[in-house]
Amino acid sequence: MGKWTRRDLVKTALAASASMMAGGDLLAQPALGDGHQQAGSNDAHASGEVLAADAAGNAANPLRDRLLMDFGWRFALGNADDPDKDFGFGKLRREGTYAKNGHAGGPADPKFDDSAWAAIDLPHDWALDLPFIDNSILVEHGGKPLGREYPATSIGWYRRSFHVPAADAGKRVCVEFDGIFRNAILFVNGNYIGVNFSGYAPFNADITDFLNYGDSDADGRNVLTVRVDATLDEGWFYEGAGIYRHVWLTKTAPAHIARYGNYVRSTVNGSSATVFVSTEVLNESDRPIQGRVHAKLIDSDGKTVATAASKTSEVPAGEGFIFQMQAPVSGAKLWSLEQRNLYRAVTVFEADGKAVDQDAATFGIRTLKFDANQGFLLNGRQVKIQGTCNHQDHAGVGEAIPDRVQAYRLELLRKMGCNAIRTSHNPPTPELLDACDRMGVMVMDETRMMSSSPEGLSQLERLVKRDRNHPSVIIWSLANEEPEQASAMGARIVASMKKLQRKLDPSRVCTTAMNGGWGGIGVSTVVDVQGCNYRTGLIDAYHKEHPAQPMIGTETASTLGTRGIYTDDPARGYEASYGLDKPKWGATPEEWWSFYADRPWLAGGFAWTGFDYRGETTPYKWPCISSHFGIMDTCGFPKDYFYYYQSWWGTQPVLHLFPHWNWEGSEGKEGKEIVVMAFTNQDSVELFLNGASLGSQKVAKHGHVEWKVKYAPGTIEARAAKDGRPTLTAKRETVGPPAKIVAVADRAAIHADGEDVSMINVSIVDAKGRVVPLAGNMLSFKLAGGGKLIGVGNGDPSCHEEDKPANPAEAQRSAFNGFAQAIVLAPKQPGDMAVQVSSPGLEGATVKITAAPAKLRATVA
């Protein structure tokens, strides 16, 4: 069938929060039906011509508005227990909070005075502003006072005034949220709109009927109010609090393309491909229409490579329809890790002969296959997945990560040789997947809730429909380490989830991340690919018993270490960073990777984790507030075993020698043995201490080399060789005391759009310019010329200093083992900025950043 009605929504049991959702968010997609016609159809005519595109292939779009709504918000903390401290919301009164529409009271009232509230922009994570609390449970969640026991800091109110002109009357207007943590209640002009439960899944609300329209500020003024309740959590790690992703306002014709309505698939045959486009439309007008869709496929150079058109079909009032098209693409450029070729499908929906809406979807042409004997194949070529699991917080900004930081983190992972990420354990922000598409990083895309309840299926549907066009997404993950993973109940739940996933996206397979219960009657009997969390000792036996089922390491490693630390220090919460420490379930990098690399039938694996993150402080408690699992710290500064992965995942010669060689004085190591290690992909390494050879060692495949060296100040030097010839040299010297600061911007020119950022990485060096490995000097940052300092960090898992500066032009942060980081947000006006970094007794540094003219995204007034 090609049509559906709103009654179908109830029949599919996907009605969770449906009263507030519009534009197809929760609508079960029907079987693709009679809206299909081949490219070049005689039914095509000029009125359906796709509108002009710019040189980058981004279609100009006068038929719909999508406006960024991140700027100009007001924020205040409420209270989970006391209505008087929650601005009167929920206070006992004759007419209850929801008794009369438009009279919810408190900040929902459009006349409420929020002038005393904080002025903020999004993304926003209010947990960053809260103090750290010494509570064993809170520490596992990052140490911030969020929960039922902390009512005064667990409710946040957001308000945003905006204008809707008279010309928009008759359009459908929706507000779209990419993510709020969590349990958000929406009001528009005092009218209750609905509740969104999830802290991760995107959602939207049709607010058309509740708006004021007019050309004067008074007539067209509207107020959007969001009450965010972070008293309950969804994970066991830091999750932040607030509207931490983008917000958008969309305006379309009553008959329009649904949200996430374009779905693009392809098949490949030699140098040619066939691209299939299905477009879901909604007719929210009061009369039936004759509809059709035209599509234009545009390559990354802006060239049109194919066109297609659907048949004309009737779309009754209040109903929807899915139109189908297909088009051949000769000389198709495939998306791969090396060649990230992207296309755009620009679709125009025509109603009764007139173009009324346009939308676009970025996609890639490639083939995917998980195979029980060959692991994973991309475009028919065997590719080993060299992945990391990652949570979504970063030093200084918490969950409120600017778009550019997403790409920055991927750049660091790719430098290590990582080619894939798992979005553990929740739907990611869309901008992360956009960056993966551009940069050639594969994705295991994971939902948060393993459930076939209306809410669970709703979250899964929103994830799949939003992300299914991304070529970087290679597999769906439906669960992580769930209690019912080994039971018949779990199998039934996942079977229902898989049925929906396959209906929405038949082009990909699914897995679940299982830490036990493999085989038997549980989830293993349902998923396409067996996901293995740890337990490498069981993998060979499972493969032997289930030779037809592909397998992947959904979560591996969990190696423990604190950057720059080489002796366990429980009092300060530091773990030696040799890459040898692990919890009872974990493995060292060498243990897990040598196992997976030597088995071609294993698709590869995802190390836990690419970056440290707040919470899960194993093996310590307070004063720790961050994990030790990362291959990099929370700033992205690499730990030593970063270079193990770089050696065996990358293609360039690598030699990394450690630890540092400053063990005199309080360390008391003179004359005592120090373990010295080298990570390399060369054949052999010879070590020297102050010019004297300590012997050469051969490097085993996927291994490392090490020596025990009696400490004497001076220099240790490693000399690597391959095929009997010297190749690389690395050294560690006993350096002098801190003398000066070195500060480097990852980009010296950024966009003057109020959204772009520059990452300022700071090191403390001695008089000869060598990093001082134990330096912990307090640093002061001062920003001049516009912009904002939005966050500072240092990677210390036990540091309780403020992440978010109270003054956007000034900040302080101590260095940790020689390094620190600041994040500078661009202004909206072009100009030059300067970041001065200083510390008593040290020569300071100044970093200059240019905010270059940029085309600003369209925003809500």
Side-chain angles (χ1 to χ4, degrees):
M1 82 181 172
K3 301 177 182 178
W4 49 261
T5 69
R6 294 198 179 273
R7 290 187 297 274
D8 296 321
L9 185 65
V10 178
K11 293 178 182 178
T12 56
L14 291 178
S17 304
S19 61
M20 66 173 291
M21 301 300 174
D25 252 2
L26 304 182
L27 298 171
Q29 179 160 332
L32 301 180
D34 56 0
H36 169 80
Q37 186 163 333
Q38 297 281 5
S41 160
N42 293 330
D43 199 26
H45 53 83
S47 61
E49 175 66 20
V50 174
L51 301 174
D54 62 25
N58 299 307
N61 195 349
L63 297 180
R64 70 159 55 194
D65 292 323
R66 190 168 191 255
L67 308 174
L68 186 66
M69 209 173 182
D70 284 1
F71 303 109
W73 289 78
R74 292 282 183 171
F75 171 79
L77 289 174
N79 194 286
D81 288 351
D82 188 340
D84 288 327
K85 296 178 181 178
D86 204 27
F87 305 102
F89 182 74
K91 191 175 179 67
L92 286 175
R93 57 182 179 167
R94 180 176 176 274
E95 292 181 349
T97 302
Y98 300 119
K100 298 288 186 179
N101 203 29
H103 292 82
D109 186 338
K111 297 179 181 179
F112 179 86
D113 182 7
D114 61 13
S115 59
W117 289 17
I120 65 157
D121 296 327
L122 306 180
H124 181 244
D125 177 0
W126 87 68
L128 279 185
D129 295 323
L130 303 180
F132 291 103
I133 302 294
D134 182 3
N135 175 294
S136 61
I137 300 299
L138 285 185
V139 165
E140 289 298 303
H141 293 261
K144 296 293 187 173
L146 296 170
R148 293 293 301 276
E149 294 87 345
Y150 300 93
T153 50
S154 298
I155 300 293
W157 285 93
Y158 294 84
R159 300 183 90 243
R160 171 65 151 86
S161 295
F162 62 102
H163 182 261
V164 179
D168 286 340
K171 296 180 180 179
R172 304 306 298 184
V173 182
C174 292
V175 60
E176 301 180 356
F177 295 87
D178 286 345
I180 300 178
F181 197 86
R182 59 173 300 278
N183 199 22
I185 309 175
L186 272 62
F187 302 90
V188 172
N189 295 328
N191 297 281
Y192 167 75
I193 304 299
V195 177
N196 184 69
F197 175 87
S198 171
Y200 301 100
F203 68 100
N204 76 327
D206 190 320
I207 59 175
T208 304
D209 297 343
F210 306 98
L211 295 174
N212 298 313
Y213 301 86
D215 292 328
S216 70
D217 287 340
D219 291 340
R221 182 178 180 273
N222 298 274
V223 179
L224 171 64
T225 305
V226 186
R227 184 181 188 267
V228 181
D229 184 345
T231 56
L232 302 179
D233 42 52
E234 297 183 41
W236 46 97
F237 39 85
Y238 179 83
E239 298 179 281
I243 307 178
Y244 68 97
R245 293 180 182 170
H246 293 307
V247 180
W248 309 86
L249 194 73
T250 61
K251 305 174 184 179
T252 65
H256 57 89
I257 299 168
R259 191 184 191 210
Y260 314 137
N262 286 321
Y263 175 40
V264 187
R265 293 179 292 148
S266 60
T267 58
V268 178
N269 184 11
S271 62
S272 298
T274 301
V275 175
F276 302 87
V277 181
S278 63
T279 301
E280 180 183 354
V281 303
L282 305 175
N283 180 12
E284 298 188 86
S285 72
D286 56 5
R287 61 179 181 80
I289 59 173
Q290 295 295 310
R292 56 187 274 115
V293 176
H294 298 256
K296 179 180 285 189
L297 307 184
I298 303 169
D299 67 14
S300 57
D301 296 322
K303 177 183 176 183
T304 298
V305 298
T307 60
S310 74
K311 289 181 179 179
T312 298
S313 295
E314 180 178 283
V315 186
E319 297 188 9
F321 191 86
I322 294 180
F323 293 89
Q324 291 193 74
M325 299 150 280
Q326 69 181 60
V329 177
S330 60
K333 299 177 182 179
L334 301 187
W335 184 92
S336 68
L337 306 186
E338 300 78 24
Q339 301 292 325
R340 285 84 73 178
N341 296 303
L342 296 173
Y343 293 84
R344 284 173 65 83
V346 182
T347 56
V348 171
F349 175 48
E350 175 189 300
D352 296 331
K354 179 182 178 182
V356 296
D357 193 20
Q358 176 178 307
D359 202 3
T362 300
F363 70 99
I365 299 172
R366 83 286 186 262
T367 64
L368 309 173
K369 184 180 180 181
F370 283 87
D371 185 85
N373 297 312
Q374 300 182 75
F376 174 69
L377 296 93
L378 177 63
N379 300 324
R381 181 174 67 90
Q382 190 175 27
V383 174
K384 203 74 167 183
I385 292 172
Q386 301 168 172
T388 61
C389 304
N390 295 289
H391 283 311
Q392 59 176 19
D393 72 284
H394 189 87
V397 292
E399 301 286 283
I401 299 181
D403 296 347
R404 164 58 195 163
V405 179
Q406 305 285 358
Y408 176 77
R409 286 160 64 93
L410 287 176
E411 289 169 2
L412 297 175
L413 290 170
R414 290 184 71 242
K415 185 177 180 180
M416 184 177 74
C418 175
N419 64 16
I421 62 170
R422 174 184 168 214
T423 67
S424 46
H425 302 290
N426 49 263
T429 188
E431 289 74 23
L432 175 60
L433 298 185
D434 292 341
C436 288
D437 291 344
R438 297 191 306 268
M439 299 170 70
V441 177
M442 301 177 290
V443 178
M444 175 180 286
D445 206 349
E446 187 160 288
T447 193
R448 173 75 291 272
M449 178 181 286
M450 189 189 101
S451 179
S452 53
S453 68
E455 175 64 33
L457 292 180
S458 165
Q459 292 184 24
L460 177 62
E461 178 166 8
R462 284 177 270 165
L463 169 71
V464 174
K465 292 182 77 171
R466 185 194 68 179
D467 296 349
R468 59 190 175 180
N469 291 321
H470 287 280
S472 58
V473 175
I474 62 171
I475 189 171
W476 303 107
S477 175
L478 305 184
N480 174 72
E481 298 183 356
E482 290 288 337
E484 296 294 338
Q485 63 188 358
S487 71
M489 179 190 294
R492 292 193 299 269
I493 291 170
V494 172
S496 294
M497 296 176 72
K498 178 183 175 180
K499 182 179 180 180
L500 175 62
Q501 173 258 303
R502 192 60 59 86
K503 184 177 184 180
L504 298 172
D505 176 32
S507 72
R508 294 178 182 85
V509 296
C510 70
T511 187
T512 59
M514 300 177 65
N515 63 341
W518 305 350
I521 61 173
V523 171
S524 296
T525 64
V526 176
V527 294
D528 304 300
V529 180
Q530 174 62 48
C532 305
N533 281 18
Y534 312 104
R535 311 195 75 170
T536 52
L538 303 179
I539 289 177
D540 285 341
Y542 185 89
H543 175 61
K544 184 176 181 179
E545 295 168 3
H546 304 83
Q549 187 176 30
M551 299 182 70
I552 187 170
T554 39
E555 188 171 316
T556 65
S558 280
T559 311
L560 298 168
T562 305
R563 176 183 56 78
I565 297 292
Y566 301 98
T567 303
D568 291 347
D569 188 344
R572 293 194 295 170
Y574 298 154
E575 189 79 0
S577 189
Y578 280 101
L580 301 176
D581 291 353
K582 59 187 179 181
K584 62 182 180 180
W585 65 84
T588 69
E590 190 170 328
E591 287 170 344
W592 88 264
W593 181 245
S594 61
F595 182 91
Y596 275 80
D598 289 343
R599 289 160 174 77
W601 44 268
L602 281 173
F606 296 86
W608 188 268
T609 52
F611 300 86
D612 282 341
Y613 53 92
R614 292 165 172 83
E616 286 202 291
T617 59
T618 304
Y620 304 120
K621 298 295 183 182
W622 188 266
C624 273
I625 42 84
S626 289
S627 78
H628 300 80
F629 292 121
I631 302 168
M632 290 173 273
D633 68 17
T634 53
C635 294
F637 297 129
K639 301 177 186 178
D640 292 287
Y641 40 94
F642 174 100
Y643 300 96
Y644 171 84
Y645 290 105
Q646 189 180 66
S647 296
W648 301 111
W649 285 2
T651 58
Q652 299 300 314
V654 176
L655 175 62
H656 176 71
L657 179 68
F658 64 104
H660 64 75
W661 210 240
N662 275 59
W663 297 99
E664 72 283 0
S666 61
E667 294 290 342
K669 297 288 187 178
E670 299 244 8
K672 295 183 180 179
E673 286 188 337
I674 303 291
V675 174
V676 174
M677 297 175 65
F679 292 139
T680 184
N681 50 15
Q682 303 301 284
D683 292 341
S684 64
V685 179
E686 186 174 7
L687 184 69
F688 295 81
L689 172 62
N690 295 329
S693 176
L694 301 180
S696 177
Q697 295 189 36
K698 292 184 177 180
V699 182
K701 184 180 180 182
H702 306 307
H704 74 280
V705 290
E706 65 178 76
W707 298 258
K708 290 184 178 180
V709 181
K710 288 186 177 180
Y711 176 70
T715 303
I716 52 171
E717 181 177 347
R719 300 174 187 173
K722 192 169 185 68
D723 298 326
R725 294 167 32 174
T727 53
L728 299 170
T729 299
K731 65 174 62 176
R732 295 280 187 167
E733 297 176 302
T734 304
V735 305
K740 60 183 179 179
I741 298 167
V742 175
V744 178
D746 75 309
R747 294 181 304 153
I750 59 178
H751 298 294
D753 58 5
E755 298 183 73
D756 202 3
V757 300
S758 181
M759 312 295 287
I760 311 299
N761 291 323
V762 177
S763 57
I764 309 296
V765 302
D766 69 359
K768 294 183 179 181
R770 301 171 298 185
V771 173
V772 181
L774 303 177
N777 304 66
M778 180 59 70
L779 302 168
S780 295
F781 298 84
K782 290 188 177 181
L783 174 64
K788 296 179 181 179
L789 281 165
I790 60 170
V792 288
N794 59 17
D796 181 349
S798 298
C799 184
H800 298 172
E801 297 166 15
E802 291 184 353
D803 292 278
K804 186 177 177 181
N807 181 343
E810 296 182 2
Q812 282 194 320
R813 188 72 171 202
S814 61
F816 177 62
N817 289 336
F819 295 96
Q821 184 178 82
I823 304 176
V824 175
L825 180 70
K828 290 185 179 179
Q829 298 297 325
D832 292 328
M833 298 179 288
V835 181
Q836 294 181 332
V837 191
S838 62
S839 183
L842 301 184
E843 180 183 332
T846 299
V847 180
K848 294 183 178 180
I849 307 167
T850 299
K855 183 177 180 180
L856 304 181
R857 289 201 266 201
T859 58
V860 175

